[in-house]
Amino acid sequence: MTANSSITIRRARRDDVAIIVGMLADDPLGSARERIEAPLPQSYLTAFEKIEREANLQLVVAEDSEGIVVGCLQLCILPGLSSQGASRGLIEDVRVAKHCRSRGIGEQMVQWAVGQARAKGCILVELLTHSSRVDAQRFYERLGFKRSHVGMTVRF
Amino acid sequence: MTANSSITIRRARRDDVAIIVGMLADDPLGSARERIEAPLPQSYLTAFEKIEREANLQLVVAEDSEGIVVGCLQLCILPGLSSQGASRGLIEDVRVAKHCRSRGIGEQMVQWAVGQARAKGCILVELLTHSSRVDAQRFYERLGFKRSHVGMTVRF
């Protein structure tokens, strides 16, 4: 058992994009999807600018006590008419740097996101996790999430 | 086999909110969640205004050939860094008026949303459907969606 790491969660900046992409790529599903090159492909920076423009989207990073980025997460607050006009939170792209896992960083990030959603009046937080990510599903169950839905996708 | 109904899809207006809420309520899960009262509870109109303010959200309705609203759907375009900075489409709150089902209205609405997402450069469209909605899952499978993910939620 390793003690929980103390982290700080802050909004991602443009100069965090490369390290975030590194974390997205360092993953069984992500490794086939990302392009780690120097300089970073422009598509990532363009996407970062799009995220910045959406008022309901927050891409955040977790920094360790030395200011090193060790995790990331994206939270979207989705207003909607259902459930008496309740908003929902959607969590995406949760990653913790491989050498920093099992220290409670993912848990602190997800709990932060759930707290943010709650503070913004959401009645629930939802996420899709790939069926093959059995460990992730157990992780979210430990944090109070239920396997209530089927996540369906169509890819182009 | 009933012939497919011809529908028009357009952005929802404030005066559609009551009929949309009626469709959301006329549903095994929705009936316990909504409040159908006249006048409509203010929370729905406030939520409608929030939806209108988000540039990446579209709440649309399907009108039949007589201009009657027979369906609704919400589409969110979510930029993100993963998959080389690709955007994703998220479909929510799909409903077809009970007396208009099995006429291909839901199919046309979902295909419209998928087309919109594709036109906006998304690489996939995702949705969560409650595990109990077996018919909905079969419907989405017919439209090319895969049961690729587990949809997890935490409610407050």
Side-chain angles (χ1 to χ4, degrees):
Chain A
M1 201 70 179
T2 316
N4 273 4
S5 293
S6 159
I7 57 162
T8 307
I9 291 167
R10 62 162 174 81
R11 204 150 185 128
R13 299 185 295 250
R14 192 182 166 90
D15 59 7
D16 298 315
V17 173
I19 192 164
I20 295 172
V21 173
M23 290 189 286
L24 293 170
D26 189 15
D27 171 273
L29 294 174
S31 58
R33 292 185 191 151
E34 310 305 339
R35 274 174 61 204
I36 301 293
E37 289 163 20
L40 201 65
Q42 180 59 34
S43 63
Y44 289 112
L45 298 168
T46 304
F48 179 75
E49 286 156 16
K50 285 186 191 168
I51 295 167
E52 289 272 279
R53 277 200 297 272
E54 299 299 345
N56 59 352
L57 264 186
Q58 281 188 82
L59 174 65
V60 297
V61 293
E63 270 184 359
D64 69 10
S65 55
E66 290 171 356
I68 310 292
V69 170
V70 292
C72 62
L73 170 155
Q74 188 164 304
L75 172 67
C76 183
I77 305 294
L78 290 149
L81 291 184
S82 65
S83 297
Q84 300 180 40
S87 293
R88 287 155 281 202
L90 174 73
I91 293 177
E92 298 183 292
D93 291 345
V94 180
R95 295 291 187 284
V96 173
K98 205 169 256 174
H99 63 285
C100 300
R101 291 189 191 154
S102 308
R103 296 188 200 169
I105 293 170
E107 181 172 339
Q108 290 175 72
M109 289 196 308
V110 171
Q111 283 176 338
W112 174 88
V114 169
Q116 283 276 308
R118 197 167 190 160
K120 291 183 179 181
C122 294
I123 56 151
L124 63 85
V125 174
E126 61 194 12
L127 58 89
L128 289 93
T129 167
H130 194 272
S131 303
S132 67
R133 295 194 193 273
V134 178
D135 287 351
Q137 290 147 31
R138 263 190 240 121
F139 164 76
Y140 289 117
E141 281 181 321
R142 275 207 317 275
L143 300 185
F145 284 77
K146 308 270 181 235
R147 302 164 63 99
S148 53
H149 288 68
V150 178
M152 303 190 74
T153 53
V154 60
R155 281 190 173 264
F156 305 135
Chain B
M1 202 68 177
T2 315
N4 273 5
S5 293
S6 159
I7 57 161
T8 307
I9 291 166
R10 63 163 174 81
R11 202 148 185 131
R13 298 184 298 251
R14 191 182 167 89
D15 59 5
D16 298 314
V17 174
I19 192 165
I20 295 171
V21 173
M23 291 189 287
L24 293 170
D26 190 15
D27 171 274
L29 294 175
S31 58
R33 291 185 192 151
E34 309 305 339
R35 272 173 63 203
I36 302 292
E37 289 163 20
L40 201 65
Q42 180 59 35
S43 63
Y44 290 112
L45 299 167
T46 304
F48 179 75
E49 286 156 16
K50 286 185 191 168
I51 295 166
E52 289 272 277
R53 278 199 296 269
E54 299 299 345
N56 59 352
L57 264 186
Q58 280 189 81
L59 174 65
V60 298
V61 293
E63 270 184 359
D64 69 11
S65 55
E66 290 172 357
I68 311 291
V69 170
V70 292
C72 61
L73 170 153
Q74 188 164 304
L75 172 66
C76 184
I77 305 293
L78 289 149
L81 292 185
S82 65
S83 297
Q84 299 179 40
S87 293
R88 289 154 279 202
L90 174 74
I91 295 178
E92 297 183 292
D93 291 345
V94 180
R95 295 290 187 285
V96 173
K98 206 169 255 174
H99 63 285
C100 299
R101 292 190 188 152
S102 308
R103 295 186 200 170
I105 294 170
E107 182 171 338
Q108 290 175 74
M109 289 197 307
V110 171
Q111 283 175 339
W112 173 89
V114 169
Q116 283 276 310
R118 198 168 189 157
K120 291 183 180 182
C122 294
I123 54 151
L124 64 84
V125 174
E126 61 194 12
L127 58 87
L128 288 93
T129 167
H130 194 271
S131 304
S132 66
R133 295 194 193 272
V134 179
D135 287 352
Q137 290 148 31
R138 264 190 237 119
F139 164 78
Y140 289 115
E141 281 180 322
R142 276 206 317 279
L143 300 185
F145 284 78
K146 309 270 181 236
R147 302 164 63 97
S148 53
H149 288 68
V150 178
M152 303 189 75
T153 53
V154 60
R155 283 191 173 263
F156 304 135

